[in-house]
Amino acid sequence: MIGGELAECHLTPCEAKEVRLDVDQLTLASPDPFGTSLKDISMQVRSGEIFGHCRRFRQRPEELMTALSGERLSGGAMIKAVRTGGGDLNPAKRRALGLTFVPEERLGRGAVPPMSLAYNALLTGARKGMVQRGMIHPSVMKTFSKNVIERFKVKCGGAQSVASSLSGGNLQKFIVGRETMLQPKMMIVAQPTWGVDVGAAQLIRQALIDLRDQGVAILVISEELDELFTISDRLCVLAEGGFRPRSSQRRPRSNKSEPG
């Protein structure tokens, strides 16, 4: 029960444009004995499209996320970020090129638990006027945080609430909202609606579609196949460290899922 009618997501036809993320033969061994090594992954994500990656159940996306975010260097594999840089760029340089990230792990990677929402906004949004000439501007980061809270209907005590005080679903809304409102050129999201209620899930999905309509290139990694059918222009299956043969194909320009 959400106390009202459930809004529908609207995915209208949109021509993809220039390549924003270019990955060429990415191979990377997992440092986790229970992780999955990446094997010769090549893909392109273009402006104005949502590229959905359906991962196998319980296969964690950390290896791919850390490689694309720059947290782990790719060991020689070419990752061209926003077509203006190439090779191994650290997270700060990738963000400077317009990439934003929503990891699956909220506390510890998506947000710092004991810090306020305002300061969690500062961590990734410093270039949005929150830091000028080496000085932090609290009023700017608080205003930004309040806008995220209002737009994404985050239930909390305000911008000064610490991240660990929020429920998992509300923290997810804040993190997705923060990265969305940084006006990215490319966005990478893992499990965007994990743990949120059905109304919030629709809000997040529509926010991603709106970004795509504005020309943002979006990569979504999820095990929710229905979600990917709803919001994706293209789909592929990521399993055992690589793409399944013939798994990547353009889906019809429709908001309705197709069988098979």
Side-chain angles (χ1 to χ4, degrees), residues 8-73:
E8 294 184 2
C9 291
H10 299 282
L11 185 69
T12 56
C14 179
E15 285 298 323
K17 298 180 181 178
E18 74 274 10
V19 175
R20 288 283 176 85
L21 182 72
D22 192 354
V23 180
D24 184 22
Q25 295 182 327
L26 172 61
T27 297
L28 193 61
S30 174
D32 186 343
F34 299 102
T36 303
S37 297
L38 304 178
K39 305 171 186 176
D40 295 325
I41 290 181
S42 297
M43 65 177 171
Q44 292 183 333
V45 186
R46 297 178 177 273
S47 168
E49 76 168 347
I50 296 177
F51 190 12
H53 283 223
C54 181
R55 64 169 186 166
R56 278 183 139 181
F57 181 62
R58 291 182 179 176
Q59 178 175 313
R60 300 182 301 172
E62 279 87 348
E63 287 79 10
L64 182 59
M65 285 291 291
T66 55
L68 296 180
S69 69
E71 294 173 67
R72 290 190 65 206
L73 299 184

Side-chain angles (χ1 to χ4, degrees), residues 106-162:
R106 297 161 182 161
L107 290 175
R109 289 187 67 203
V112 179
M115 292 178 63
S116 69
L117 297 181
Y119 274 99
N120 270 289
L122 174 67
L123 293 178
T124 62
R127 291 183 177 84
K128 292 298 179 180
M130 299 180 200
V131 177
Q132 299 175 19
R133 297 180 180 178
M135 299 292 291
I136 295 176
H137 287 250
S139 60
V140 178
M141 67 184 192
K142 289 178 183 178
T143 298
F144 177 87
S145 301
K146 289 178 181 178
N147 289 338
V148 173
I149 291 168
E150 291 175 3
R151 178 179 171 185
F152 284 82
K153 301 177 182 178
V154 180
K155 295 181 181 178
C156 63
Q160 296 305 317
S161 300
V162 297

